[in-house]
Amino acid sequence: MDFSYDERLIRAKYDDKTITVYQAFNRQIAKSATNTQTFVSPPFKMNRMTWIKPSFLWMMYRSGWASKENQEHILAIKIKREGWEWALKNSCLTHYSQNIYSSEKEWRDILSKSPVRIQWDPEKDINFNNLEYRSIQVGLTGIAVKKYINEWIVNIKDITEYCKLIEKEKDQPNKIDLPSEKIYPLTKNIVKNINATY
């Protein structure tokens, strides 16, 4: 497939029932999450927006290979596909797009009521160079956070050591075993709602 910089396709590791998303936290939150297999408050803050990302390399870029403050632990979180798709259906873009909204006022009205935010950022290669397509980030707040921690999560695994190993060997491509991400199938309604280019 030929890609332009504005290609917006969800690439993810998924199976028939789950999709893997990534988040970075400090040790306290990460340990609590892996022990309980969900997020509990405290130390997790329920009233803040929490961002989930299906792109492994974008997560590595965002966290600096798990080196940035409060992002020292990377969690791979398997969630139900029905939950993921609920989030996409009930989302609003973080920026106005005339492809979706009739006016900025309509967008602002939807944004103020939506429990989910969608943002598309340039995807990264293993050296954090921009690729010619975009990767999705999904921000959850309010009812979406409650559904995420109470209904959607199937498994949480701390993959920090794996991430560090990939970073160490990133200049030796034959040794690298990155997560296998493929294009995630979406309904036409979701494609339109998140401004994807399927």
Side-chain angles (χ1 to χ4, degrees):
M1 182 180 291
D2 293 327
F3 297 109
S4 68
Y5 189 71
D6 283 330
E7 288 284 359
R8 298 176 298 280
L9 306 174
I10 297 174
R11 293 167 179 82
K13 181 179 179 180
Y14 65 91
D15 56 31
D16 290 344
K17 294 183 179 180
T18 67
I19 177 172
T20 298
V21 295
Y22 302 97
Q23 293 193 272
F25 293 104
N26 60 36
R27 182 179 182 276
Q28 186 182 19
I29 295 176
K31 185 176 181 180
S32 171
T34 53
N35 285 344
T36 62
Q37 287 296 290
T38 189
F39 295 97
V40 294
S41 178
F44 183 79
K45 295 181 179 178
M46 290 282 295
N47 59 345
R48 294 182 60 180
M49 182 169 288
T50 190
W51 289 87
I52 57 178
K53 308 162 184 70
S55 166
F56 174 80
L57 286 178
W58 210 96
M59 184 73 263
M60 295 306 97
Y61 162 73
R62 181 67 182 84
S63 68
W65 296 101
S67 68
K68 294 182 180 179
E69 185 177 3
N70 288 321
Q71 299 185 59
E72 300 93 347
H73 286 261
I74 307 298
L75 301 182
I77 305 155
K78 279 189 177 183
I79 64 173
K80 296 175 183 176
R81 285 179 58 170
E82 62 193 65
W84 171 253
E85 291 171 18
W86 183 96
L88 300 181
K89 289 175 185 175
N90 290 276
S91 68
C92 180
L93 298 182
T94 56
H95 297 92
Y96 169 69
S97 171
Q98 61 183 6
N99 293 336
I100 299 178
Y101 311 106
S102 61
S103 66
E104 283 201 39
K105 181 182 184 304
E106 182 197 25
W107 166 67
R108 291 185 185 282
D109 287 345
I110 295 173
L111 185 68
S112 68
K113 299 172 185 176
S114 173
V116 182
R117 303 283 189 272
I118 297 294
Q119 186 165 312
W120 294 95
D121 295 289
E123 180 62 289
K124 305 294 181 179
D125 67 14
I126 201 163
N127 294 306
F128 300 159
N129 299 305
N130 284 353
L131 296 177
E132 295 183 342
Y133 51 89
R134 292 178 179 266
S135 179
I136 197 170
Q137 293 189 69
V138 179
L140 309 176
T141 188
I143 187 63
V145 174
K146 292 180 182 178
K147 284 180 171 290
Y148 177 52
I149 67 174
N150 294 321
E151 301 175 19
W152 301 349
I153 293 175
V154 174
N155 177 264
I156 300 179
K157 183 178 180 181
D158 189 323
I159 60 167
T160 306
E161 292 305 314
Y162 164 74
C163 298
K164 294 293 188 181
L165 179 62
I166 295 293
E167 179 190 19
K168 183 179 179 180
E169 297 181 343
K170 64 187 178 70
D171 295 326
Q172 304 176 62
N174 60 319
K175 289 188 176 182
I176 293 173
D177 184 22
L178 291 173
S180 178
E181 297 173 358
K182 53 188 178 180
I183 294 175
Y184 187 92
L186 296 174
T187 64
K188 289 183 179 180
N189 287 342
I190 292 179
V191 167
K192 181 178 180 182
N193 195 52
I194 65 174
N195 199 27
T197 52
Y198 278 69

